Amino acid sequence: MRIDELDTVADDELTADICVIGSGPAGLTLAAELAGTSLRVLVLESGGREPSEQANALDDIDSTGAVRAGTGRVAGDRILGGNSHSWSGRCGLLDDLDFGARPWVPGSGWPITDLDPYLERAARHVGIGYGTGFTGDAFWELAGRARPRDTLDPNRFRAYFWQISRDPVDPFDCKRFGRHVRELTAPNVRVLVNATVTHIDTDADGRKVLALQVAGSKARTVRAGRFVLAAGGISTPRLLLASRRIRPEGVGNRHGLVGRYLMDHRCGAVGALEPAQAHTALHRFGKYVVKSAHGRHTFLHGLALSPAVQRAEQLLNCALWLQEVPADDDPWESVKQLMRGRGTRHDARVALANSGLLLAGARRRLIEHAGLPHKLDRIEVRCMVEQVPDPDSRVALSERVDRFGVPLARIDWRVHELEDRTVRRAAALAVAEFARLGYPEPALYDWARADSDGPARLTDWAHPTGTTRMAARPDAGVVDTDCRVHGVENLYIAGSSVFPTTGHANPTLTLVALAVRLADELRRDR
């Protein structure tokens, strides 16, 4: 796969059968899936090969809604590899309940129900060992372990497992997509960096994309038969809305839905356990290592609210887990730096002073196939809850513009009482479940108690979702079940912006599975 600077490419080379806007996990998965076909694929990346504050400044926002963890930018990584440059690597599966319409969650329900045929291929792209069958009670068979006797109360919780992505060239890091672009030796795919799309040009009716206006050191025009917008949950609706020279409402926005239904995951620590008391709980609800055909993979065991309690109490989907917070002198970070060749004398001293812990960790990892024991400051009980789909939670255009003259995004992110109630109820149930199973009870923080009337200390998690939601009808969503923009014959969208609801799971595995599914559609529909 060839990587070039936009400014070095001749005008007659700016054509393709398929043009993909964005080189994050969705965009590069599409490119990889289409590599080796007869289709000429051109990927446009606004950033370069290395991080650049000038490029990231294109993702500046105006925030007028709920306070976010970072108010100046939302998941802004304009770089080859996109947001995989800074993601945590945690991968989870949506539940069956997430795809269905729930009467107590207005706007819920996906028009598709089965991503299983695409998840195994998605797993290879994101750097995990298994695409399906790794959560719930199925995990124990996959891991070759006996199912624990102290089973969870199915009326409260179900076992939930996340896989942690692993980069093939760095066992201490998750998959960074940009590192691996050159490994695809496919003459039909080309990536152009420092190529910022500033406008989507359509015909007079807005029903077909004709070209893209792209900025480098000068304005360029890119033409293709089909286009895929894979620019993330904020930049995707922003570009559609800002492309208004031909249609004043923007592209694909006849029903005024582009940018609406902005969701994220709300996350936070609801309580804590003292490290001295938490050994048995961490052994049960901690990290596990499982060997697959692709190497060793780390899993994190948590608790997710059961469908039964969600239905009975009209709650949202929510999961909790134990998060080890390392002490400042935890030796494993020093070991990582030493093994990467970037360690200092301080790292060597820390590793030597904690040699007993390191030896215990080697045994735990290699023999017990469990997570490494860390020197801990505390153990937090953290949660992640889905959001209510709300058309008033939205991305619109700011009066301010970026350096190319494109209006910035204005974010009006809304939060809801049902999210707070769900988290407080899940926290209370977790305390009760730990007590029932004989583990030390987490001490809940005051705000997370059921009787608290204070503000919930939850933040966004940089998972902007839902702003070009999928729906069977054009008056209910922006894209159809094939991720094609309603009313625009040759424009598709890839990424979490097409999710109608978020579930509690981190979005990357699902959005990559949707990109695999879209690649199959693009191969068929020629």
Side-chain angles (χ1 to χ4, degrees):
M1 191 181 294
R2 185 174 172 184
I3 307 172
D4 293 301
E5 296 279 337
L6 173 67
D7 290 342
T8 67
V9 176
D11 287 345
D12 61 3
E13 297 177 89
L14 296 178
T15 61
D17 296 310
I18 297 173
C19 179
V20 179
I21 305 166
S23 74
L28 287 183
T29 294
L30 278 166
E33 287 285 324
L34 296 173
T37 69
S38 60
L39 295 165
R40 294 174 302 137
V41 180
L42 184 63
V43 180
L44 304 179
E45 169 53 51
S46 178
R49 295 174 176 85
E50 300 295 332
S52 163
E53 182 56 33
Q54 184 183 45
N56 285 340
L58 297 170
D59 281 323
D60 286 352
I61 64 168
D62 288 339
S63 182
T64 62
V67 175
R68 304 183 67 91
T71 57
R73 214 165 279 163
V74 180
D77 282 315
R78 298 217 178 194
I79 185 174
L80 185 64
N83 290 336
S84 75
H85 183 71
S86 60
W87 76 313
S88 69
R90 186 184 293 197
C91 296
L93 293 168
L94 290 176
D95 302 315
D96 290 343
L97 177 138
D98 294 322
F99 290 101
R102 291 164 281 169
W104 66 96
V105 184
S108 61
W110 288 54
I112 60 174
T113 58
D114 186 12
L115 289 178
D116 283 1
Y118 311 98
L119 283 165
E120 290 301 335
R121 285 155 64 191
R124 295 195 293 272
H125 288 291
V126 301
I128 59 177
Y130 303 90
T132 57
F134 64 81
T135 194
D137 288 336
F139 170 79
W140 306 111
E141 182 177 353
L142 176 147
R145 294 171 177 264
R147 181 179 174 183
R149 293 181 179 178
D150 54 346
T151 57
L152 296 170
D153 180 348
N155 292 314
R156 292 175 171 174
F157 290 108
R158 54 197 160 75
Y160 191 87
F161 291 85
W162 296 268
Q163 277 185 84
I164 308 303
S165 166
R166 183 174 180 268
D167 195 292
V169 301
D170 186 347
F172 297 113
D173 203 0
C174 52
K175 176 78 173 285
R176 308 295 176 193
F177 281 66
R179 288 175 179 165
H180 303 280
V181 174
R182 292 190 184 278
E183 296 171 8
L184 290 170
T185 55
N188 67 309
V189 180
R190 191 175 197 180
V191 179
L192 299 182
V193 296
N194 295 311
T196 300
V197 178
T198 59
H199 197 273
I200 301 171
D201 296 344
T202 67
D203 61 11
D205 294 329
R207 297 192 177 278
K208 184 175 183 179
V209 177
L210 303 178
L212 304 175
Q213 298 306 311
V214 184
S217 62
K218 63 178 182 178
R220 310 292 294 277
T221 300
V222 172
R223 303 184 189 280
R226 289 171 291 173
F227 299 83
V228 182
L229 187 45
I234 302 298
S235 292
T236 289
R238 174 195 173 195
L239 182 56
L240 292 170
L241 293 170
S243 298
R244 52 190 179 182
R245 295 174 196 157
I246 297 160
R247 300 283 306 183
E249 74 275 12
V251 174
N253 195 31
R254 295 176 187 275
H255 294 275
L257 295 176
V258 170
R260 293 190 180 273
Y261 295 97
L262 170 65
M263 296 170 287
D264 207 305
H265 286 121
R266 295 181 67 199
C267 301
V270 299
L273 286 163
E274 290 296 327
Q277 302 174 341
H279 174 74
T280 55
L282 272 178
H283 185 74
R284 174 71 166 83
F285 299 106
K287 292 179 179 177
Y288 295 80
V289 177
V290 178
K291 190 174 182 180
S292 79
H294 307 289
R296 293 177 178 269
H297 296 273
T298 300
F299 292 74
L300 174 63
H301 186 358
L303 311 174
L305 285 179
S306 72
V309 76
Q310 290 182 57
R311 292 189 182 98
E313 301 188 25
Q314 298 193 343
L315 301 174
L316 297 167
N317 211 344
C318 180
L320 305 101
W321 66 94
L322 298 181
Q323 183 72 38
E324 297 173 278
V325 181
D328 290 339
D329 59 343
D330 176 53
W332 289 108
E333 186 58 38
S334 294
V335 168
K336 289 179 185 179
Q337 296 306 316
L338 290 166
M339 293 186 71
R340 287 169 169 164
R342 300 199 293 263
T344 64
R345 289 183 179 178
H346 170 74
D347 291 316
R349 286 195 296 269
V350 169
L352 186 62
N354 292 278
S355 57
L357 182 66
L358 296 176
L359 287 171
R363 174 184 175 82
R364 184 171 168 81
R365 182 82 170 190
L366 298 175
I367 299 176
E368 300 177 15
H369 304 302
L372 297 173
H374 288 270
K375 193 170 186 179
L376 299 176
D377 178 70
R378 65 191 183 280
I379 298 166
E380 292 180 338
V381 181
R382 293 189 183 174
C383 74
M384 183 179 291
V385 65
E386 72 169 318
Q387 283 206 275
V388 174
D390 180 353
D392 293 327
S393 184
R394 65 184 301 192
V395 176
L397 297 179
S398 169
E399 298 297 321
R400 296 193 300 139
V401 299
D402 65 21
R403 73 175 187 273
F404 295 122
V406 179
L408 296 175
R410 186 178 75 243
I411 308 299
D412 185 0
W413 180 51
R414 307 289 179 96
V415 299
H416 299 84
E417 187 277 333
L418 179 55
E419 297 150 16
D420 298 352
R421 179 165 68 86
T422 296
V423 167
R424 290 184 170 114
R425 181 58 175 151
L429 288 172
V431 171
E433 189 68 355
F434 269 54
R436 187 186 70 83
L437 295 173
Y439 298 115
E441 297 178 26
L444 294 183
Y445 298 140
D446 287 344
W447 74 264
R449 298 181 182 278
D451 58 356
S452 173
D453 57 2
R457 296 185 180 178
L458 301 168
T459 69
D460 67 286
W461 215 239
H463 293 166
T465 305
T467 48
T468 60
R469 68 193 331 246
M470 182 190 296
R473 304 190 328 269
D475 61 345
V478 176
V479 302
D480 64 17
T481 56
D482 292 325
C483 292
R484 190 197 310 251
V485 174
H486 283 294
V488 186
E489 65 181 68
N490 63 338
L491 178 61
Y492 300 79
I493 295 178
S496 62
S497 65
V498 306
F499 291 16
T501 54
T502 65
H504 69 71
N506 302 61
T508 303
L509 179 58
T510 301
L511 71 87
V512 168
L514 284 168
V516 171
R517 181 176 180 269
L518 176 55
D520 286 354
E521 171 65 20
L522 293 171
R523 275 193 292 265
R524 283 192 300 267
D525 183 24
R526 300 183 61 178

